[in-house]
Amino acid sequence: MWLRPFIIAILAVALSSGIAFSQTLEKVRARGHLVCASSHPLPGFAEQLDNGLWAGFDVDFCRAVATAVFGDPNLVQFRPLTGDARFAQLQTGELDLLVRDAAWNLSRDTGYRVRYVATSFFDGQGILVPQSLGAVSAYELDGVKICVVDDSDELNRLRQFFFENQASYTEVLYEDPADLAIAYKAGLCNAISARASLLHSIQIGMPDPGAQRIMPERISKAPLGPVVRSDDDHWFNIVRRTHFAQIDDEEVAAT
């Protein structure tokens, strides 16, 4: 969902008001397109389809910002990211906007010279298992082999969860999140613990998605949303107001 014409008009007035100078806005306008980055591939959020077009929740937000700046959702260049964060590219100006690639927390809020605009999606760590296991809750799991990324917050939370519930499990550790699905499909583990958004992506990519179940419990909370540089208040406000405009747009569409 992008933006309706009357909301575009409101944003256009704000952008032309001259209240403050935005180096980022001037740079984007001079370039002729927005450079926006998000996790890839993550079905439902950001992925390049067979026809070459980008689609997903995060992609639509990039297009909404392009609409606010240019009045054209197509004036955006997408940059796929694969790691936990790409703040250096944002700090150096290679990116104008980073969408949902790293959870909003204290260290990122204070140590990377970036600003989180708002929370657009709440994620959280979950556990994926085969339906054949017969479990409907993470609290029922015992004696399972769980694939999880090594040396990560997710590994520490998984250990804490099983310790608190006095249940046994075996860790199957990997360096890259992409390895989790490969190992699970090969039967090297019979569960995966990762962010729920990644688990949904893995489930969709399985030969029989309906044979997999994501446990309803979340053992963490990860607020995610657009990120900009910390030195441009006007650009921050433009992106934030675009986020608010999308919320208003959804409310109008629902009435």
Side-chain angles (χ1 to χ4, degrees), residues 2-249:
W2 303 327
L3 296 171
R4 296 176 189 276
F6 77 94
I7 292 181
I8 295 174
I10 293 173
L11 286 170
V13 171
L15 290 175
S16 62
S17 61
I19 295 174
F21 172 76
S22 169
Q23 183 179 14
T24 306
L25 176 61
E26 295 304 316
K27 182 179 179 180
V28 170
R29 283 177 165 169
R31 187 195 303 125
H33 65 268
L34 176 76
V35 180
C36 190
S38 181
S39 300
H40 171 69
L42 194 59
F45 294 93
E47 60 180 329
Q48 194 167 21
L49 306 178
D50 293 339
N51 58 9
L53 297 178
W54 287 83
F57 180 80
D58 298 335
V59 170
D60 281 352
F61 184 78
C62 296
R63 290 196 173 108
V65 175
T67 302
V69 173
F70 297 107
D72 187 342
N74 297 310
L75 295 180
V76 53
Q77 180 186 99
F78 298 104
R79 296 278 182 86
L81 301 178
T82 56
D84 289 334
R86 288 293 183 274
F87 294 133
Q89 295 181 43
L90 188 63
Q91 293 163 355
T92 60
E94 293 180 51
L95 303 176
D96 305 314
L97 178 62
L98 178 64
V99 184
R100 203 195 159 275
D101 196 50
W104 192 351
N105 58 30
L106 178 62
S107 63
R108 290 175 178 137
D109 219 11
T110 59
Y112 293 96
R113 302 194 312 277
V114 297
R115 294 179 71 184
Y116 280 79
V117 174
T119 299
S120 59
F121 185 84
F122 280 100
D123 208 342
Q125 185 175 346
I127 301 176
L128 173 87
V129 300
Q131 293 275 19
S132 58
L133 204 61
V136 296
S137 168
Y139 295 106
E140 298 176 354
L141 299 177
D142 194 17
V144 291
K145 296 175 65 176
I146 303 181
C147 284
V148 62
V149 173
D150 192 10
D151 192 24
S152 65
D153 291 339
E154 292 170 350
L155 176 58
N156 294 330
R157 285 191 292 263
L158 185 67
R159 288 173 175 171
Q160 182 179 356
F161 177 80
F162 276 88
F163 174 78
E164 292 176 351
N165 289 286
Q166 295 297 294
S168 64
Y169 77 106
T170 301
E171 296 170 358
V172 183
L173 304 178
Y174 292 95
E175 287 187 329
D176 195 316
D179 292 332
L180 302 179
I182 297 172
Y184 182 76
K185 289 178 182 178
L188 301 179
C189 56
N190 58 353
I192 300 175
S193 186
R195 284 187 190 172
S197 55
L198 177 59
L199 295 181
H200 280 287
S201 176
I202 292 172
Q203 182 181 22
I204 292 171
M206 296 293 289
D208 184 3
Q212 321 302 322
R213 179 192 292 270
I214 298 174
M215 300 289 95
E217 294 80 14
R218 297 291 177 267
I219 59 179
S220 72
K221 182 173 72 172
L224 298 156
V227 186
V228 298
R229 287 182 294 280
S230 62
D231 59 355
D232 194 334
D233 289 341
H234 196 203
W235 180 247
F236 170 87
N237 289 330
I238 290 168
V239 177
R240 182 173 62 173
R241 283 298 161 184
T242 301
H243 170 73
F244 291 159
Q246 282 192 304
I247 295 174
D248 291 341
D249 203 12

